[in-house]
Amino acid sequence: MLSSNTLQEFARIVGPEHVLTSLEDLVAYSCDGTFVEQRPDAVVSPLNTEQVSRVMQVCDREGISVVARGMGSGLAGGAVPVSDGISLCLTRMNRVLNLDTENMMVRVEAGIVTADLQAQVEAAGLFYPPDPSSIKHSTIGGNVACNAGGPRCLKYGVTRDYVMGLTVVLSNGRVLQTGGKAIKNVTGYDLKNLFVGSEGTLGIVTEVLLKLIPKPEFARTAMAIYPLLENASVTVNNVLRAGVLPATMELMDNTTLGTIEEYLHLGLPTDAAAILIIEVDGGDEETVTKEIETIDRVCRASGASAVRVAKTEAERNDLWRGRRSVFPSLARRGPDQLTEDISLPRAAVPEAIRRIKAIGEKYGLPICVFGHAGDGNLHPSILHDKRDSEQTRRAEQASRDIFSIAVELGGTLSGEHGVGVLKLPFLGLAESPLEIELMQAIKRLFDPKGILNPGKKFPAA
Ligand SMILES: Cc1cc2nc3c(=O)[nH]c(=O)nc-3n(C[C@H](O)[C@H](O)[C@H](O)COP(=O)(O)OP(=O)(O)OC[C@H]3O[C@@H](n4cnc5c(N)ncnc54)[C@H](O)[C@@H]3O)c2cc1C
């Protein structure tokens, strides 16, 4: 428990109304996008880097653990406290600080919601491509901490590819500025990238300098329908070999399609084994049109029984509506979902899906497979009911088997959600003892007292 003196000290730094201790508030901050739950002792919401630094000085002095929190949409239990301590909520720090149209870069505070950032830069004709499906309810700080991806990664890359600089408050309150507007920089170690994907275990990100690109003016979208799942996967490589690099290639299997259709009645092909939603974009309409025609041809040649190319913006939105509704649809079918995030070499995707389906049958649980087929990042989602302990046990076993398959096929446990606490027990499947030892040494260097998001990302030394 935090002493009343400590709580008063926090209140003097951030203002009393920004230190929450009521039971209702603590419950609200006790979870993220998963079922993991643990109440913090207090929620502290600073307004700027200086306040974060002063809060961290108190925590360092008193040995109080600190779990950074953006919007709490994480899917690995990363923002959930695991022991006594504070939840440090960054959402009051939500401003665009500087939009530099000449260098095509933007400096923002870490708590800005990603969709708000995108809207503001798009108003200036610029584009911030990373687009986690949680874009309206996740922050840039959380995206940086998890190195978030999303459907557009195939063409545009992940959050890391856009981070040019960071302001980070270290565990003892010191403020580190790292990176900058120079596009090439090999001066010293690349400290900036150490924080990207570090899940709040090395420092609190308070400001982010991001690279932007010109906004693509034109986009065309197609849905390809497959009687055989295998052929949907084969299409992905065939499209790339045909010289087209789509912005997105999203796969949904039959179980996922049925689940969405039950919810939204969109007229999805529920008898198909799988569909792909493929989108191309760019600055030249003629090129984009040619690319979607090539995709139509390649999909059919690869076994698609039909290809529907959206002719209007409304039709395009309809094609995307199903994909965007995967999570709410799953919630209707099974009260709890264990959504994994395995990342595979692209060519291993068909075999992985076959084996995941067999796991679903083995444990008697529906597993919906969907995800970013273009970059081999799948989200098998095991539907179950946590109130039934027997079902929960089977879901956990299924989850372990899925991780084993990913590693056996040359892949890994997580492509974009991070390790948090949920994947921690399986880390040894994917990372060698030496890798884990080095991570622990880095952690000790940045956080000698172990107060930053303890018990997350990798086992304590
Ligand atoms: C419906 C749904 C769809 C999703 N789709 C995608 C997707 O397509 N792609 C994808 O990559 N993810 C996706 N996610 C996962 C999640 O939205 C992302 O991981 C996102 O980046 C988390 O941002 P957040 O602000 O909610 O962070 P939180 O959940 O609050 O925190 C996540 C982690 O980051 C740390 N953290 C947060 N802010 C900071 C900071 N300022 N400094 C240091 N550490 C910090 C936390 O301690 C925690 O470890 C999805 C989640 C949901 C619920």
Side-chain angles (χ1 to χ4, degrees):
M1 284 295 286
L2 299 176
S3 71
S4 62
N5 279 350
T6 305
L7 289 171
Q8 280 166 17
E9 213 171 342
F10 289 145
R12 279 196 295 277
I13 298 170
V14 299
E17 66 278 35
H18 301 300
V19 179
L20 308 178
T21 52
S22 77
L23 179 62
E24 298 88 318
D25 286 325
L26 300 184
V27 168
Y29 285 84
S30 67
C31 50
D32 63 357
T34 65
F35 49 78
V36 183
E37 268 182 69
Q38 164 83 37
R39 286 201 289 267
D41 289 338
V43 181
V44 179
S45 302
L47 185 62
N48 52 41
T49 301
E50 195 229 325
Q51 289 186 1
V52 174
S53 165
R54 289 172 61 201
V55 169
M56 287 309 304
Q57 285 169 33
V58 175
C59 294
D60 179 57
R61 190 189 70 216
E62 302 293 330
I64 297 165
S65 65
V66 180
V67 180
R69 184 180 178 94
M71 291 288 277
S73 71
L75 291 175
V80 180
V82 284
S83 57
D84 295 348
I86 63 164
S87 176
L88 188 71
C89 179
L90 280 299
T91 50
R92 289 177 70 218
M93 297 182 60
N94 60 4
R95 290 175 305 158
V96 170
L97 298 173
N98 175 254
L99 177 57
D100 176 352
T101 50
E102 206 171 329
N103 283 306
M104 294 205 283
M105 286 182 203
V106 66
R107 178 177 287 279
V108 295
E109 289 181 320
I112 191 169
V113 170
T114 313
D116 293 345
L117 156 72
Q118 283 192 339
Q120 293 193 46
V121 301
E122 284 183 31
L126 293 168
F127 188 52
Y128 174 68
D131 63 335
S133 307
S134 53
I135 197 156
K136 289 185 183 162
H137 47 93
S138 66
T139 62
I140 279 292
N143 294 174
V144 169
C146 298
N147 190 20
R152 279 201 287 253
C153 292
L154 173 61
K155 178 171 178 181
Y156 291 108
V158 293
T159 303
R160 173 175 284 131
D161 299 313
Y162 295 85
V163 177
M164 298 294 296
L166 291 176
T167 303
V168 184
V169 177
L170 302 179
S171 64
N172 56 9
R174 290 180 72 188
V175 178
L176 171 75
Q177 307 276 357
T178 176
K181 289 187 181 176
I183 290 159
K184 294 171 80 179
N185 180 357
V186 289
T187 319
Y189 288 135
D190 189 350
L191 292 180
K192 160 181 68 85
N193 271 333
L194 205 49
F195 291 97
V196 182
S198 66
E199 299 181 45
T201 59
L202 299 181
I204 310 294
V205 175
T206 57
E207 291 180 20
V208 188
L209 176 68
L210 294 163
K211 182 170 81 179
L212 304 171
I213 62 169
K215 188 171 177 325
E217 294 285 323
F218 305 98
R220 296 296 303 273
T221 311
M223 171 165 61
I225 300 166
Y226 292 89
L228 291 175
L229 186 69
E230 175 92 28
N231 290 346
S233 299
V234 167
T235 300
V236 173
N237 284 330
N238 289 348
V239 167
L240 296 174
R241 265 199 295 268
V244 179
L245 181 57
T248 65
M249 281 207 259
E250 293 290 295
L251 179 129
M252 287 186 270
D253 77 341
N254 174 272
T255 320
T256 311
L257 287 170
T259 307
I260 298 171
E261 192 56 24
E262 257 172 45
Y263 171 39
L264 288 176
H265 312 294
L266 292 173
L268 291 170
T270 48
D271 53 344
I275 64 164
L276 284 175
I277 298 184
I278 308 181
E279 183 161 292
V280 282
D281 66 1
D284 175 46
E285 190 168 17
E286 203 179 323
T287 310
V288 171
T289 306
K290 274 193 189 137
E291 285 183 345
I292 203 75
E293 285 165 5
T294 306
I295 283 170
D296 185 332
R297 212 173 40 249
V298 173
C299 289
R300 288 175 200 276
S302 309
S305 56
V307 180
R308 297 180 197 160
V309 179
K311 293 190 185 62
T312 61
E313 193 57 20
E315 281 182 22
R316 178 178 167 227
N317 283 336
D318 276 353
L319 290 185
W320 275 113
R321 197 162 155 230
R323 172 62 183 93
R324 289 201 194 100
S325 308
V326 171
F327 279 103
S329 313
L330 297 184
R332 284 168 60 96
R333 180 99 180 254
D336 297 290
Q337 305 108 38
L338 209 47
T339 300
E340 302 307 352
D341 173 42
I342 55 172
S343 186
L344 299 148
R346 234 183 338 246
V349 168
E351 177 61 16
I353 296 179
R354 252 194 311 275
R355 295 207 207 170
I356 290 167
K357 290 287 164 194
I359 289 173
E361 277 161 32
K362 177 175 166 194
Y363 293 107
L365 294 170
I367 303 184
C368 294
V369 183
F370 57 94
H372 319 304
D375 49 31
N377 186 191
L378 297 180
H379 299 312
S381 197
I382 308 161
L383 306 187
H384 64 291
D385 185 344
K386 226 163 74 72
R387 291 165 299 188
D388 178 338
S389 58
E390 162 62 13
Q391 263 194 41
T392 306
R393 191 187 56 77
R394 279 186 278 135
E396 285 168 1
Q397 283 172 340
S399 161
R400 171 179 280 277
D401 287 5
I402 290 172
F403 290 139
S404 300
I405 285 171
V407 175
E408 265 170 50
L409 294 174
T412 191
L413 311 183
S414 178
E416 53 185 27
H417 296 166
V419 174
V421 281
L422 285 181
K423 297 181 194 80
L424 200 58
F426 311 104
L427 196 70
L429 292 175
E431 302 286 311
S432 69
L434 180 56
E435 284 170 307
I436 294 174
E437 197 185 308
L438 290 171
M439 289 182 211
Q440 289 165 335
I442 293 169
K443 167 79 173 166
R444 271 197 303 277
L445 181 68
F446 280 90
D447 180 21
K449 294 186 181 167
I451 59 172
L452 285 171
N453 218 357
K456 307 282 177 62
K457 191 87 178 153
F458 49 82

